[in-house]
Amino acid sequence: MDNIKYNLPEKEMPVSWYNIQADLPEPLPPYLHPVTKQPLVPADLAPLFPMELIKQEVSQERYIDIPEEVQEIYRQFRPAPLYRARRLEKALDTPAHIYYKFEDVSPAGSHKPNTAIPQAYYNKKEGIKRLTTETGAGQWGSSLAFACSQFDIELKIYMVRVSYNQKPYRRMTMEAWGATCVPSPSPDTGSGRAALAADPNNPGSLGLAISEAVEDAAPRDDTHYALGSVLNHVLLHQTIIGQEALKQMEMAGEYPDAVIACAGGGSNFGGLALPFVRDNLTKGRKTQIIAVEPSSCPSLTKGLYAYDYGDVAGMAPIAKMFTLGSNFMPPPVHAGGLRYHGMSPIVSHLKKLGLIEARTVNQLPTFEAGIQFARSEGFISAPETNHAIRAVIDEALRCRESGEKKVLLFCHSGHGHFDMAAYEAYLSGKLSDYEYTDEKVKEALSCLPAV
Amino acid sequence: MDNIKYNLPEKEMPVSWYNIQADLPEPLPPYLHPVTKQPLVPADLAPLFPMELIKQEVSQERYIDIPEEVQEIYRQFRPAPLYRARRLEKALDTPAHIYYKFEDVSPAGSHKPNTAIPQAYYNKKEGIKRLTTETGAGQWGSSLAFACSQFDIELKIYMVRVSYNQKPYRRMTMEAWGATCVPSPSPDTGSGRAALAADPNNPGSLGLAISEAVEDAAPRDDTHYALGSVLNHVLLHQTIIGQEALKQMEMAGEYPDAVIACAGGGSNFGGLALPFVRDNLTKGRKTQIIAVEPSSCPSLTKGLYAYDYGDVAGMAPIAKMFTLGSNFMPPPVHAGGLRYHGMSPIVSHLKKLGLIEARTVNQLPTFEAGIQFARSEGFISAPETNHAIRAVIDEALRCRESGEKKVLLFCHSGHGHFDMAAYEAYLSGKLSDYEYTDEKVKEALSCLPAV
């Protein structure tokens, strides 16, 4: 019988993260201070992050050791399995070989604990007693809640209101792990109150929730802020995904022709893709690296590569990135984790340099793909993950036409157990597609900071 | 670093199920026909089950081969990991070693696919196009929906109404896999209509839902019925749990002093425990085998060992078992999978012979245990599983008092991702305990069949 899954032995779990900054053909543009517009210095970030994470943010070291305490928690669910999607291949009648790296196995059900655990660890080590964060669909918030429960850190989560209402079970998981979760915009912060005053029905956005979490944390000595995507240290921690996948593809005796992942802030995409970008850069590989975005929030494909605020209120650092403008309010699609106006600076930089490509898919075809996946592979996937599945199915169908035996690898970033209401809405015909229009582009980009 | 999980290599997955009927010191009492009250013959079951399953039901062979087609689907999530609960041990400050067999990794999130897959397979092989079944909390219904999607079989599920209302996401998973799910009692069957006529607010029970599913299937040539617990062939299929656990405990270099699982119909309990009962019977081991029941539905601890109907309407076979009476309507506790009036004949027989023991735990302490588990081990557990966790924690705390270094092994039968409303109700003080009273025993047992 052929292999269905490839389990890397526990002792072969990678013990360092891969830092792509060491291999970039051009260095990343620096972050700028949101007020002075001058390049950030480490001290500027100290009110928000522990020094170890600030160092990682700008490190040029190729590999950074994973602390023992972090490895110990990783090893509860890592190495994560790599699956060969044999039943999906059969259902598609494709000559392509489809593999997926399965991040659903963490306690929080997604790849997010890969960075939540080290972030909680480094904060604990620096004596921090309390963290704040934002969350979209709730995968990040629940992952950080899990991580904080492991290190006995208090946690307050600002959850984008539309997701807070759509996904009550996600909030309940955060509470089960001991965290406090409020809908954003909230009356608890100045930026939340301002947004509510302007529109009491404000559905919220990641950019706004970040403002609230930053505003809560910055003035308090015992409190730091944690971000689940976008930043360099987050993508760094996620590279354990791709490093494991490389070893597992070797077990399978294949090397991917294309590496595919959905991209909102860029963390699961970067986590899987960066070690393959490294191999393209340093080993002469020519793997296609594909980021998949929602049509409703297409920063990489329709955004501008410019300096922009990371949040709505302009309190977070200014970063050079593909952006739809920090005041862009994405439509309430169910893939809450992909509703962010910007894109990780690393992913943006790679796109600008032509080292990766990007595609958009619309909401209905992603759910269609998720249902096809559930009825063949069995697993029910997160709406975000369905974006990657859609792109993989499309690629596999093209292979059926062309006869190409491409090897496709994608990141199954998380399960959809808390998104069943979205599936029901889809199955009962209540979901719709959303297109981002050029008018919106102009409108949204009118608020870029003058730098 | 010490091991946290023990992953059995895929090639060491057991390729046969263990049939305890080969090793019983006394044979199982026969099933009786619900109308004639005479011992059942295979032909009596043919309208409901494929012949291969009927043969397995009465087989005296010690090991039964797992078909290749079933192994192939098993191998997507099996062997399931065995965890050492190091962080829970630390939180309890106990000298006990706690292990758990982690069945959450199946697509449906519980142990139920272990029997759903072979049942769908044998039905498909016999040309069956459609199955009916009942489900309590929905773990069985969703597992059979997953299995039927793999073998292209139509499925109709009668879901106990109280759970249907409490756990809408479970129903949505069944629909995502292509099944139809209705609340029971339903207007679709005679037994459903009768129950609704007597009480339009009837919360339903597993016994009643079985009646509906059997009534739907029996007269139709293209339709069979499938049961997710209780029967001998179900426990047979589940023994892969215990057989894997035996190999994994060997990897860990220990042998359990106690094997613990929750018991409703008995399938996860039997699945983990039967291979250990075998070792007690044939290898002189003295492992304590403990079934954990809810105080609200204590068949093994307060029921009568008697011949009783498997369902409310008296259409299912009569079995010798511990029972609270087939008309017993358990209170609406959240552990829907444990709300069954009877107990597997095998488990009942073992209890009667003194080869296993049973305990009850009440609802609130089980959720308290589940929260403690989530905040130490990370995983959020099904309310059913929390019964086992409660008993394990109690045992580990006793070890702290006595200083005993007991090795405890329990079945983590499934995750609680679809039970978050129950956790919220618990955390906000809205849940209560339920005690089964002696009066209820008398009342419920007044309807036993005269055999």
Side-chain angles (χ1 to χ4, degrees), chain A residues 360-380:
Chain A
T360 61
V361 290
N362 220 320
Q363 179 159 265
L364 294 180
T366 62
F367 277 96
E368 184 195 19
I371 290 287
Q372 184 164 26
F373 191 82
R375 292 183 188 175
S376 52
E377 291 298 303
F379 299 113
I380 294 178

PDB file of all heavy atoms in Angstrom, chain A residues 360-380:
ATOM      1  N   THR A 360      -5.671  35.562  -6.665  1.00  0.00           N
ATOM      2  CA  THR A 360      -6.868  35.749  -5.843  1.00  0.00           C
ATOM      3  C   THR A 360      -7.895  34.678  -6.175  1.00  0.00           C
ATOM      4  O   THR A 360      -7.953  34.181  -7.308  1.00  0.00           O
ATOM      5  CB  THR A 360      -7.542  37.117  -6.089  1.00  0.00           C
ATOM      6  OG1 THR A 360      -7.940  37.198  -7.453  1.00  0.00           O
ATOM      7  CG2 THR A 360      -6.614  38.259  -5.745  1.00  0.00           C
ATOM      8  N   VAL A 361      -8.691  34.341  -5.180  1.00  0.00           N
ATOM      9  CA  VAL A 361      -9.847  33.453  -5.398  1.00  0.00           C
ATOM     10  C   VAL A 361     -11.018  34.068  -4.640  1.00  0.00           C
ATOM     11  O   VAL A 361     -10.834  34.731  -3.612  1.00  0.00           O
ATOM     12  CB  VAL A 361      -9.593  32.012  -4.918  1.00  0.00           C
ATOM     13  CG1 VAL A 361      -8.577  31.326  -5.816  1.00  0.00           C
ATOM     14  CG2 VAL A 361      -9.113  31.977  -3.479  1.00  0.00           C
ATOM     15  N   ASN A 362     -12.214  33.808  -5.138  1.00  0.00           N
ATOM     16  CA  ASN A 362     -13.376  34.415  -4.524  1.00  0.00           C
ATOM     17  C   ASN A 362     -14.006  33.468  -3.504  1.00  0.00           C
ATOM     18  O   ASN A 362     -13.664  32.287  -3.431  1.00  0.00           O
ATOM     19  CB  ASN A 362     -14.381  34.856  -5.589  1.00  0.00           C
ATOM     20  CG  ASN A 362     -14.998  36.210  -5.219  1.00  0.00           C
ATOM     21  OD1 ASN A 362     -15.301  36.448  -4.058  1.00  0.00           O
ATOM     22  ND2 ASN A 362     -15.161  37.082  -6.191  1.00  0.00           N
ATOM     23  N   GLN A 363     -14.924  34.005  -2.701  1.00  0.00           N
ATOM     24  CA  GLN A 363     -15.426  33.250  -1.556  1.00  0.00           C
ATOM     25  C   GLN A 363     -16.153  31.947  -1.922  1.00  0.00           C
ATOM     26  O   GLN A 363     -15.867  30.895  -1.354  1.00  0.00           O
ATOM     27  CB  GLN A 363     -16.350  34.146  -0.716  1.00  0.00           C
ATOM     28  CG  GLN A 363     -16.932  33.428   0.498  1.00  0.00           C
ATOM     29  CD  GLN A 363     -17.414  34.376   1.590  1.00  0.00           C
ATOM     30  OE1 GLN A 363     -16.686  34.663   2.519  1.00  0.00           O
ATOM     31  NE2 GLN A 363     -18.637  34.838   1.493  1.00  0.00           N
ATOM     32  N   LEU A 364     -17.090  32.001  -2.860  1.00  0.00           N
ATOM     33  CA  LEU A 364     -17.875  30.794  -3.158  1.00  0.00           C
ATOM     34  C   LEU A 364     -17.010  29.644  -3.673  1.00  0.00           C
ATOM     35  O   LEU A 364     -17.160  28.509  -3.199  1.00  0.00           O
ATOM     36  CB  LEU A 364     -19.009  31.122  -4.141  1.00  0.00           C
ATOM     37  CG  LEU A 364     -20.087  32.072  -3.595  1.00  0.00           C
ATOM     38  CD1 LEU A 364     -21.163  32.330  -4.648  1.00  0.00           C
ATOM     39  CD2 LEU A 364     -20.724  31.503  -2.333  1.00  0.00           C
ATOM     40  N   PRO A 365     -16.103  29.905  -4.621  1.00  0.00           N
ATOM     41  CA  PRO A 365     -15.261  28.782  -5.072  1.00  0.00           C
ATOM     42  C   PRO A 365     -14.373  28.204  -3.972  1.00  0.00           C
ATOM     43  O   PRO A 365     -13.997  27.032  -4.034  1.00  0.00           O
ATOM     44  CB  PRO A 365     -14.411  29.420  -6.187  1.00  0.00           C
ATOM     45  CG  PRO A 365     -15.146  30.644  -6.616  1.00  0.00           C
ATOM     46  CD  PRO A 365     -15.891  31.129  -5.407  1.00  0.00           C
ATOM     47  N   THR A 366     -14.042  29.023  -2.949  1.00  0.00           N
ATOM     48  CA  THR A 366     -13.213  28.461  -1.874  1.00  0.00           C
ATOM     49  C   THR A 366     -14.030  27.469  -1.038  1.00  0.00           C
ATOM     50  O   THR A 366     -13.513  26.431  -0.618  1.00  0.00           O
ATOM     51  CB  THR A 366     -12.644  29.548  -0.942  1.00  0.00           C
ATOM     52  OG1 THR A 366     -13.705  30.243  -0.287  1.00  0.00           O
ATOM     53  CG2 THR A 366     -11.784  30.532  -1.720  1.00  0.00           C
ATOM     54  N   PHE A 367     -15.302  27.780  -0.781  1.00  0.00           N
ATOM     55  CA  PHE A 367     -16.126  26.830  -0.026  1.00  0.00           C
ATOM     56  C   PHE A 367     -16.429  25.580  -0.847  1.00  0.00           C
ATOM     57  O   PHE A 367     -16.475  24.471  -0.310  1.00  0.00           O
ATOM     58  CB  PHE A 367     -17.409  27.505   0.473  1.00  0.00           C
ATOM     59  CG  PHE A 367     -17.201  28.256   1.752  1.00  0.00           C
ATOM     60  CD1 PHE A 367     -16.942  29.614   1.747  1.00  0.00           C
ATOM     61  CD2 PHE A 367     -17.202  27.584   2.976  1.00  0.00           C
ATOM     62  CE1 PHE A 367     -16.715  30.306   2.934  1.00  0.00           C
ATOM     63  CE2 PHE A 367     -16.971  28.268   4.163  1.00  0.00           C
ATOM     64  CZ  PHE A 367     -16.733  29.626   4.147  1.00  0.00           C
ATOM     65  N   GLU A 368     -16.626  25.766  -2.140  1.00  0.00           N
ATOM     66  CA  GLU A 368     -16.826  24.602  -3.008  1.00  0.00           C
ATOM     67  C   GLU A 368     -15.609  23.670  -2.885  1.00  0.00           C
ATOM     68  O   GLU A 368     -15.744  22.448  -2.776  1.00  0.00           O
ATOM     69  CB  GLU A 368     -17.001  25.075  -4.463  1.00  0.00           C
ATOM     70  CG  GLU A 368     -17.300  23.960  -5.426  1.00  0.00           C
ATOM     71  CD  GLU A 368     -17.094  24.394  -6.887  1.00  0.00           C
ATOM     72  OE1 GLU A 368     -16.392  25.407  -7.135  1.00  0.00           O
ATOM     73  OE2 GLU A 368     -17.628  23.710  -7.769  1.00  0.00           O
ATOM     74  N   ALA A 369     -14.434  24.266  -2.877  1.00  0.00           N
ATOM     75  CA  ALA A 369     -13.205  23.479  -2.748  1.00  0.00           C
ATOM     76  C   ALA A 369     -13.137  22.806  -1.377  1.00  0.00           C
ATOM     77  O   ALA A 369     -12.734  21.642  -1.255  1.00  0.00           O
ATOM     78  CB  ALA A 369     -11.986  24.374  -2.958  1.00  0.00           C
ATOM     79  N   GLY A 370     -13.553  23.531  -0.343  1.00  0.00           N
ATOM     80  CA  GLY A 370     -13.526  22.968   1.010  1.00  0.00           C
ATOM     81  C   GLY A 370     -14.446  21.764   1.138  1.00  0.00           C
ATOM     82  O   GLY A 370     -14.100  20.771   1.795  1.00  0.00           O
ATOM     83  N   ILE A 371     -15.604  21.839   0.516  1.00  0.00           N
ATOM     84  CA  ILE A 371     -16.541  20.704   0.549  1.00  0.00           C
ATOM     85  C   ILE A 371     -15.952  19.514  -0.217  1.00  0.00           C
ATOM     86  O   ILE A 371     -15.999  18.370   0.241  1.00  0.00           O
ATOM     87  CB  ILE A 371     -17.907  21.118  -0.057  1.00  0.00           C
ATOM     88  CG1 ILE A 371     -18.630  22.098   0.880  1.00  0.00           C
ATOM     89  CG2 ILE A 371     -18.770  19.894  -0.340  1.00  0.00           C
ATOM     90  CD1 ILE A 371     -19.205  21.467   2.139  1.00  0.00           C
ATOM     91  N   GLN A 372     -15.354  19.785  -1.370  1.00  0.00           N
ATOM     92  CA  GLN A 372     -14.747  18.690  -2.130  1.00  0.00           C
ATOM     93  C   GLN A 372     -13.616  18.035  -1.327  1.00  0.00           C
ATOM     94  O   GLN A 372     -13.464  16.810  -1.320  1.00  0.00           O
ATOM     95  CB  GLN A 372     -14.213  19.209  -3.474  1.00  0.00           C
ATOM     96  CG  GLN A 372     -13.669  18.088  -4.346  1.00  0.00           C
ATOM     97  CD  GLN A 372     -13.499  18.483  -5.798  1.00  0.00           C
ATOM     98  OE1 GLN A 372     -13.327  19.659  -6.128  1.00  0.00           O
ATOM     99  NE2 GLN A 372     -13.544  17.498  -6.687  1.00  0.00           N
ATOM    100  N   PHE A 373     -12.865  18.846  -0.624  1.00  0.00           N
ATOM    101  CA  PHE A 373     -11.779  18.328   0.211  1.00  0.00           C
ATOM    102  C   PHE A 373     -12.346  17.480   1.352  1.00  0.00           C
ATOM    103  O   PHE A 373     -11.858  16.382   1.629  1.00  0.00           O
ATOM    104  CB  PHE A 373     -10.965  19.502   0.757  1.00  0.00           C
ATOM    105  CG  PHE A 373      -9.670  19.098   1.403  1.00  0.00           C
ATOM    106  CD1 PHE A 373      -8.547  18.846   0.637  1.00  0.00           C
ATOM    107  CD2 PHE A 373      -9.574  18.977   2.783  1.00  0.00           C
ATOM    108  CE1 PHE A 373      -7.341  18.476   1.229  1.00  0.00           C
ATOM    109  CE2 PHE A 373      -8.371  18.605   3.391  1.00  0.00           C
ATOM    110  CZ  PHE A 373      -7.258  18.354   2.606  1.00  0.00           C
ATOM    111  N   ALA A 374     -13.405  17.998   2.007  1.00  0.00           N
ATOM    112  CA  ALA A 374     -13.999  17.271   3.137  1.00  0.00           C
ATOM    113  C   ALA A 374     -14.543  15.920   2.694  1.00  0.00           C
ATOM    114  O   ALA A 374     -14.433  14.927   3.411  1.00  0.00           O
ATOM    115  CB  ALA A 374     -15.111  18.102   3.782  1.00  0.00           C
ATOM    116  N   ARG A 375     -15.132  15.877   1.500  1.00  0.00           N
ATOM    117  CA  ARG A 375     -15.748  14.623   1.060  1.00  0.00           C
ATOM    118  C   ARG A 375     -14.747  13.671   0.425  1.00  0.00           C
ATOM    119  O   ARG A 375     -15.089  12.526   0.135  1.00  0.00           O
ATOM    120  CB  ARG A 375     -16.919  14.938   0.116  1.00  0.00           C
ATOM    121  CG  ARG A 375     -18.044  15.620   0.878  1.00  0.00           C
ATOM    122  CD  ARG A 375     -19.277  15.905   0.043  1.00  0.00           C
ATOM    123  NE  ARG A 375     -20.220  16.722   0.828  1.00  0.00           N
ATOM    124  CZ  ARG A 375     -21.351  17.227   0.355  1.00  0.00           C
ATOM    125  NH1 ARG A 375     -21.715  16.988  -0.907  1.00  0.00           N
ATOM    126  NH2 ARG A 375     -22.137  17.947   1.128  1.00  0.00           N
ATOM    127  N   SER A 376     -13.527  14.124   0.186  1.00  0.00           N
ATOM    128  CA  SER A 376     -12.502  13.195  -0.299  1.00  0.00           C
ATOM    129  C   SER A 376     -11.475  12.926   0.800  1.00  0.00           C
ATOM    130  O   SER A 376     -11.358  11.806   1.284  1.00  0.00           O
ATOM    131  CB  SER A 376     -11.840  13.740  -1.564  1.00  0.00           C
ATOM    132  OG  SER A 376     -11.380  15.058  -1.381  1.00  0.00           O
ATOM    133  N   GLU A 377     -10.791  13.944   1.265  1.00  0.00           N
ATOM    134  CA  GLU A 377      -9.766  13.749   2.289  1.00  0.00           C
ATOM    135  C   GLU A 377     -10.342  13.574   3.695  1.00  0.00           C
ATOM    136  O   GLU A 377      -9.665  13.097   4.597  1.00  0.00           O
ATOM    137  CB  GLU A 377      -8.796  14.928   2.292  1.00  0.00           C
ATOM    138  CG  GLU A 377      -7.926  14.989   1.045  1.00  0.00           C
ATOM    139  CD  GLU A 377      -7.038  13.770   0.917  1.00  0.00           C
ATOM    140  OE1 GLU A 377      -6.273  13.497   1.847  1.00  0.00           O
ATOM    141  OE2 GLU A 377      -7.135  13.077  -0.115  1.00  0.00           O
ATOM    142  N   GLY A 378     -11.575  13.993   3.888  1.00  0.00           N
ATOM    143  CA  GLY A 378     -12.209  13.825   5.194  1.00  0.00           C
ATOM    144  C   GLY A 378     -12.173  15.066   6.059  1.00  0.00           C
ATOM    145  O   GLY A 378     -13.143  15.371   6.734  1.00  0.00           O
ATOM    146  N   PHE A 379     -11.081  15.793   6.041  1.00  0.00           N
ATOM    147  CA  PHE A 379     -10.906  16.904   6.977  1.00  0.00           C
ATOM    148  C   PHE A 379     -11.725  18.129   6.565  1.00  0.00           C
ATOM    149  O   PHE A 379     -11.775  18.492   5.390  1.00  0.00           O
ATOM    150  CB  PHE A 379      -9.433  17.296   7.091  1.00  0.00           C
ATOM    151  CG  PHE A 379      -8.573  16.177   7.590  1.00  0.00           C
ATOM    152  CD1 PHE A 379      -7.620  15.588   6.769  1.00  0.00           C
ATOM    153  CD2 PHE A 379      -8.731  15.686   8.883  1.00  0.00           C
ATOM    154  CE1 PHE A 379      -6.825  14.538   7.223  1.00  0.00           C
ATOM    155  CE2 PHE A 379      -7.942  14.638   9.351  1.00  0.00           C
ATOM    156  CZ  PHE A 379      -6.991  14.062   8.524  1.00  0.00           C
ATOM    157  N   ILE A 380     -12.329  18.774   7.554  1.00  0.00           N
ATOM    158  CA  ILE A 380     -13.066  20.018   7.337  1.00  0.00           C
ATOM    159  C   ILE A 380     -12.107  21.173   7.627  1.00  0.00           C
ATOM    160  O   ILE A 380     -11.560  21.267   8.722  1.00  0.00           O
ATOM    161  CB  ILE A 380     -14.307  20.074   8.245  1.00  0.00           C
ATOM    162  CG1 ILE A 380     -15.285  18.966   7.817  1.00  0.00           C
ATOM    163  CG2 ILE A 380     -14.978  21.448   8.161  1.00  0.00           C
ATOM    164  CD1 ILE A 380     -16.534  18.866   8.664  1.00  0.00           C
TER     165      ILE A 380
END
